[in-house]
Amino acid sequence: MKKSVLTLASALLFAFSANAQKVEFEEYDLDNGLHVILHQDNSAPVVITSVMYGVGGKDGSRERTGFAHFFEHLLFEGTKNIERGEWFKIVSSNGGRNNANTSQDRTYYYEIFPSNKLELGLWMESERLLHPIIKQEGVDTQNEVVKEEKRQGDRPYSKIIEEVSKNLFKVHPYKDPNIGYMDHLDAATLEEFLAFNKKYYVPNNATLVVAGDIDIAKTKKMVEAYFGPIPRGEEVVRSFPKETPITKEFRATAYDDKIQIPAVIAAYRTPSFTTKDSRVLDMISSYLSTGKSSILYKKLVDTKKKALAVQAVNLSQQDYGIYALFALPLGDVSLDDLIKEIDEEIVKLQNNLISKKDYQKLQNQFENNFVNSNASVVGIANSLARYNVMYGDTNLINSEIDIYRNITREDIKEVANKYLKTNQRLILEYLPKKK
């Protein structure tokens, strides 16, 4: 009886999360190509205005890396109608806050305002798009800001992904760091910054999301008034070189003067985050290293006490992903010994189905992640933009969980065999810098 009651409770929870978490939205295009997504949630007097641009670290000349991240800062400098240095003052004085972030694939700007400041948020984002002021003074200022950000971000082990990427990718722009190389930014001319803005920061390469305490009809009128007059840009055409498949394990070494304990990383090149296989790799990561009850943590940290830390992570990107297995040795344990221990667990995944109990645990974890991701209007706004710009399917905010639900134990075994082969990887030794 107890089992049946628990089963019923689980079914009810599943049904609740499947239905109550559905995110309603409306989307359409303006004549200039701007994609607009509106989500109404009147439960709190808050509104988010955000714009995601289809431009990231992979875009632009490889002699001028880091432009998208640079523009994340530069486009706060001011506009024709917002004086230099006033952007953040306007936001804070109206009870709001704002931020931006850049990945290799996209750039995201957003404001969070009291809902009676919706028009202000729309005006500011339209100003960023239509009237940015890009002058040498602002370029020089932000160049120093980016350099300081790079210095502050230079923490122990912080360059691991950069080192993995530059070894794992030979021709694709993912080989270069998202923040770029400082000498590229130093050498860039004002004309090059202006050309980059003209190419990528156009309405037909952007998605506007307005979410929160709004009236749909009134919001549509404001969106048309502020964004409709902005001219359409040239279509962004991309043609990135393809990577040759890795068919033999290779090794590399990197040094970090901020660490005392070495690290080892086994890294594999994996498919786009738009694929089902990438979602399966997400599940494999959780199985191997999420929480203290995970396979690798229990084995290497708890039981055998060979590692200080161990982690499996699927770093999803639009064109290629990186699957990385990371470990820090405890005491005199060798890096090769850690890799051997990790490989044993990968082989088990490749040869056997995971237990039904572990499989259900994974499903519960991903169900919980889904519920949490749609728990706030700020998170919903981000997801709506990301699914539209990166995946081309806004409704994945509701349906992606079904992809995870339909992943089987057989899928996990198959994907582990397909991508986590020893002849398809990089072994990176990340070592303290020699003195």
Side-chain angles (χ1 to χ4, degrees):
M1 181 63 183
K2 183 177 179 181
K3 182 178 180 181
S4 63
V5 169
L6 290 174
T7 302
L8 177 60
S10 298
L12 289 172
L13 177 61
F14 182 89
F16 176 79
S17 62
N19 296 313
Q21 293 296 320
K22 181 174 174 60
V23 175
E24 301 290 347
F25 62 89
E26 184 174 344
E27 60 183 331
Y28 60 97
D29 290 328
L30 298 186
D31 291 342
N32 58 15
L34 179 72
H35 193 73
V36 182
I37 304 173
L38 306 179
H39 166 67
Q40 184 173 340
D41 179 352
N42 304 117
S43 61
V46 175
V47 65
I48 290 85
T49 53
S50 66
V51 179
M52 185 172 285
Y53 294 90
V55 58
K58 69 183 180 185
D59 291 299
S61 166
R62 291 303 90 190
E63 299 302 315
R64 293 292 183 265
T65 59
F67 264 38
H69 174 264
F70 192 88
F71 266 80
E72 175 195 319
H73 296 269
L74 187 61
L75 293 184
F76 283 107
E77 272 286 308
T79 74
K80 179 180 177 181
N81 297 302
I82 299 175
E83 292 186 13
R84 186 168 184 261
E86 291 297 308
W87 187 285
F88 296 100
K89 294 178 183 178
I90 293 172
V91 172
S92 61
S93 65
N94 283 277
R97 55 190 175 93
N98 64 290
N99 213 330
N101 53 71
T102 307
S103 74
Q104 288 280 20
D105 300 307
R106 90 296 177 275
T107 303
Y108 186 58
Y109 298 89
Y110 66 92
E111 295 80 32
I112 305 170
F113 277 119
S115 53
N116 61 356
K117 300 297 181 180
L118 167 60
E119 190 167 4
L120 174 63
L122 292 173
W123 172 71
M124 294 184 78
E125 284 301 336
S126 69
E127 277 289 302
R128 195 199 309 271
L129 189 52
L130 181 60
H131 295 131
I133 298 298
I134 300 174
K135 293 183 177 180
Q136 193 63 50
E137 180 183 18
V139 168
D140 293 341
T141 298
Q142 296 308 322
N143 201 357
E144 292 305 313
V145 170
V146 170
K147 287 178 180 177
E148 179 60 25
E149 180 181 344
K150 187 174 179 67
R151 285 191 289 268
Q152 291 181 357
D154 192 10
R155 301 181 300 275
Y157 305 102
S158 63
K159 294 182 180 179
I160 284 180
I161 296 304
E162 182 178 323
E163 292 293 337
V164 167
S165 296
K166 79 178 186 181
N167 283 283
L168 207 57
F169 299 105
K170 307 300 182 183
V171 294
H172 190 280
Y174 287 160
K175 65 186 175 62
D176 300 315
N178 185 42
I179 199 170
Y181 300 106
M182 293 304 102
D183 58 331
H184 289 185
L185 296 175
D186 289 340
T189 66
L190 181 62
E191 288 70 26
E192 287 174 314
F193 286 112
L194 289 167
F196 193 85
N197 181 77
K198 182 179 180 181
K199 180 175 183 178
Y200 293 105
Y201 298 87
V202 292
N204 44 303
N205 192 43
T207 290
L208 167 70
V209 176
V210 186
D213 185 23
I214 63 173
D215 177 279
I216 295 291
K218 292 179 180 178
T219 302
K220 283 184 175 181
K221 291 180 180 178
M222 284 188 276
V223 168
E224 180 62 40
Y226 286 108
F227 290 88
I230 301 174
R232 187 185 190 97
E234 295 293 325
E235 294 303 313
V236 177
V237 179
R238 295 178 174 86
S239 181
F240 296 126
K242 304 293 184 183
E243 292 286 343
T244 301
I246 299 169
T247 57
K248 183 179 180 180
E249 178 185 283
F250 66 103
R251 290 180 171 252
T253 304
Y255 296 94
D256 186 339
D257 59 7
K258 291 181 171 55
I259 68 172
Q260 295 181 332
I261 300 171
V264 66
I265 304 95
Y268 308 77
R269 196 189 302 145
T270 52
S272 166
F273 53 39
T274 61
T275 63
K276 178 182 177 180
D277 284 355
S278 181
R279 275 94 168 195
V280 178
L281 287 165
D282 286 338
M283 281 198 159
I284 292 175
S285 296
S286 292
Y287 172 77
L288 289 174
S289 73
T290 296
K292 293 185 177 181
S293 63
S294 61
I295 297 299
L296 290 180
Y297 188 94
K298 282 196 300 184
K299 177 182 181 180
L300 291 176
V301 180
D302 272 355
T303 305
K304 293 194 173 184
K305 302 190 185 309
K306 288 188 173 185
L308 287 169
V310 62
Q311 186 175 11
V313 59
N314 185 34
L315 300 169
S316 302
Q317 299 178 119
Q318 192 172 35
D319 300 333
Y320 296 97
I322 298 172
Y323 193 87
L325 294 150
F326 163 91
L328 295 176
L330 178 62
D332 295 329
V333 175
S334 72
L335 299 183
D336 282 342
D337 191 11
L338 289 179
I339 290 296
K340 179 183 176 182
E341 295 281 5
I342 291 171
D343 281 348
E344 286 180 359
E345 300 310 314
I346 299 298
V347 169
K348 290 177 184 177
L349 277 175
Q350 293 169 334
N351 293 334
N352 306 288
L353 297 179
I354 66 172
S355 70
K356 292 181 179 179
K357 179 181 178 181
D358 285 333
Y359 173 73
Q360 189 57 53
K361 178 182 173 182
L362 284 175
Q363 287 291 340
N364 293 342
Q365 287 175 347
F366 280 81
E367 195 78 35
N368 186 59
N369 293 341
F370 165 68
V371 171
N372 289 337
S373 68
N374 291 349
S376 74
V377 70
V378 175
I380 287 172
N382 185 305
S383 294
L384 288 169
R386 177 168 53 87
Y387 283 125
N388 178 260
V389 175
M390 295 287 91
Y391 295 77
D393 182 1
T394 312
N395 195 51
L396 279 170
I397 195 170
N398 295 311
S399 63
E400 187 178 41
I401 187 60
D402 293 326
I403 300 175
Y404 288 106
R405 287 170 180 157
N406 289 320
I407 290 172
T408 65
R409 295 188 296 155
E410 289 77 12
D411 290 330
I412 291 172
K413 179 182 175 183
E414 178 184 342
V415 167
N417 276 288
K418 186 175 182 181
Y419 297 104
L420 305 184
K421 295 180 179 178
T422 57
N423 67 324
Q424 296 177 177
R425 70 182 180 185
L426 157 72
I427 299 294
L428 176 70
E429 293 189 356
Y430 194 79
L431 308 175
K433 198 163 188 176
K434 296 177 181 179
K435 296 181 180 179

